[in-house]
Amino acid sequence: VMDKMLHCLETFRVQDMHGATYKVHAYEHLTRVENLLDMQTQWEPTGEVEYKLATGEHLDLDEDGTMHVLGSSMPLVRMSPSAHVM
């Protein structure tokens, strides 16, 4: 049994070098923690964040904030919130 869960942190848009835009979801990994005192199950963040396109492809995040679809060299750059309407 996997005691992990994804929690959506945010949704934003990225743009490729040709001007096409894509929706990205950022997910925080949570792990289940059994609290024996009150028998409640709690979920705590692991510190791991995962980025996926709305279509399901996983994204790699570079240190400078640029994203790439796994196995692609096409850079995807986060758009400023004022530049688009979701």
Side-chain angles (χ1 to χ4, degrees):
V1 177
M2 288 291 288
D3 286 10
K4 277 192 170 183
M5 185 168 72
L6 293 179
H7 167 70
C8 190
L9 290 174
E10 62 174 333
T11 300
F12 56 91
R13 288 199 165 271
V14 293
Q15 189 170 29
D16 69 17
M17 59 202 294
H18 304 296
T21 63
Y22 306 89
K23 187 183 280 190
V24 173
H25 300 291
Y27 296 98
E28 178 179 43
H29 285 238
L30 302 177
T31 187
R32 187 160 70 185
V33 177
E34 298 294 341
N35 187 335
L36 299 176
L37 293 176
D38 57 11
M39 300 307 288
Q40 291 288 314
T41 299
Q42 295 177 321
W43 293 91
E44 295 189 358
T46 63
E48 185 181 350
V49 176
E50 176 178 321
Y51 297 91
K52 285 184 179 183
L53 290 178
T55 50
E57 293 92 342
H58 285 270
L59 296 174
D60 274 336
L61 180 65
D62 293 343
E63 289 175 12
D64 67 358
T66 303
M67 298 183 166
H68 298 85
V69 174
L70 235 53
S72 166
S73 61
M74 169 94 65
L76 300 172
V77 179
R78 187 176 185 143
M79 298 173 69
S80 66
S82 60
H84 69 283
V85 176
M86 279 306 245

